[in-house]
Amino acid sequence: GGLGREAIQFAKKRMEAVMDFVNNELDVKSGADIPNILQNIEFQIGRIELIAMEIANLGNKFDSVLEYNNDTGAFSLTLDFISRTQTAKLRAVFDVVDEDYPFTPLDAVLENVIGVKEVAKVGELIRRNAEPGFGYLKRACDTISVYMK
């Protein structure tokens, strides 16, 4: 657990993408464009900060690994959920850092490591109970945790 360093790496990679946009793709036609551009960049940075904090908090709560794919430029977060009342462990792999996160449903692969008989049911619970928006990943994890008790 403990994704502090990985959350920082995530934030750094995402900030690099913002800076790349600013340096290479930004098209300022007049001074009147600047306030909207700055507001957009501020929004992107705020999103990066919130998602990095969400990742770090989840890393403190669960066994977890954050991985960056150099080929796709995407991150995946792997979390293990262990039942305290039965011999069961579920692994969830979330592709969390798509440009649309947290405003669209997460791509998640749920895997029975041991003793979880209804993996599809867990996926359905996430779809029903975890609404997209800030904190979406935490809500998805909370839903899994309740199921795994």
Side-chain angles (χ1 to χ4, degrees):
L3 285 170
R5 193 174 317 123
E6 287 92 341
I8 291 168
Q9 286 301 108
F10 161 76
K12 185 177 175 187
K13 280 282 187 200
R14 292 300 299 263
M15 286 301 300
E16 287 173 3
V18 171
M19 294 309 299
D20 185 54
F21 170 78
V22 168
N23 291 328
N24 299 314
E25 298 174 39
L26 190 61
D27 186 20
V28 181
K29 293 183 178 24
S30 74
D33 293 342
I34 293 174
N36 285 340
I37 291 168
L38 291 176
Q39 187 176 27
N40 185 318
I41 292 169
E42 185 178 354
F43 174 75
Q44 289 180 48
I45 292 169
R47 260 179 67 191
I48 291 167
E49 179 184 15
L50 286 169
I51 296 167
M53 288 182 349
E54 187 176 18
I55 289 168
N57 289 336
L58 290 170
N60 291 329
K61 191 172 180 182
F62 302 101
D63 287 339
S64 51
V65 177
L66 182 70
E67 296 177 297
Y68 179 73
N69 183 323
N70 282 316
D71 295 332
T72 64
F75 283 84
S76 64
L77 178 62
T78 302
L79 300 158
D80 286 342
F81 299 84
I82 300 167
S83 174
R84 292 192 298 263
T85 59
Q86 56 193 8
T87 305
K89 181 176 179 179
L90 179 75
R91 177 164 292 147
V93 181
F94 296 100
D95 290 328
V96 292
V97 277
D98 179 80
E99 292 299 317
D100 296 329
Y101 180 81
F103 303 113
T104 59
L106 286 168
D107 284 335
V109 175
L110 303 174
E111 174 190 341
N112 171 28
V113 178
I114 185 171
V116 180
K117 293 173 180 53
E118 298 178 344
V119 174
K121 181 178 178 180
V122 178
E124 182 57 35
L125 287 170
I126 292 170
R127 278 187 287 286
R128 261 192 310 197
N129 297 310
E131 292 290 318
F134 289 112
Y136 179 31
L137 188 56
K138 180 190 178 306
R139 288 190 298 279
C141 290
D142 288 347
T143 299
I144 296 170
S145 291
V146 167
Y147 178 83
M148 291 295 292
K149 284 205 185 294

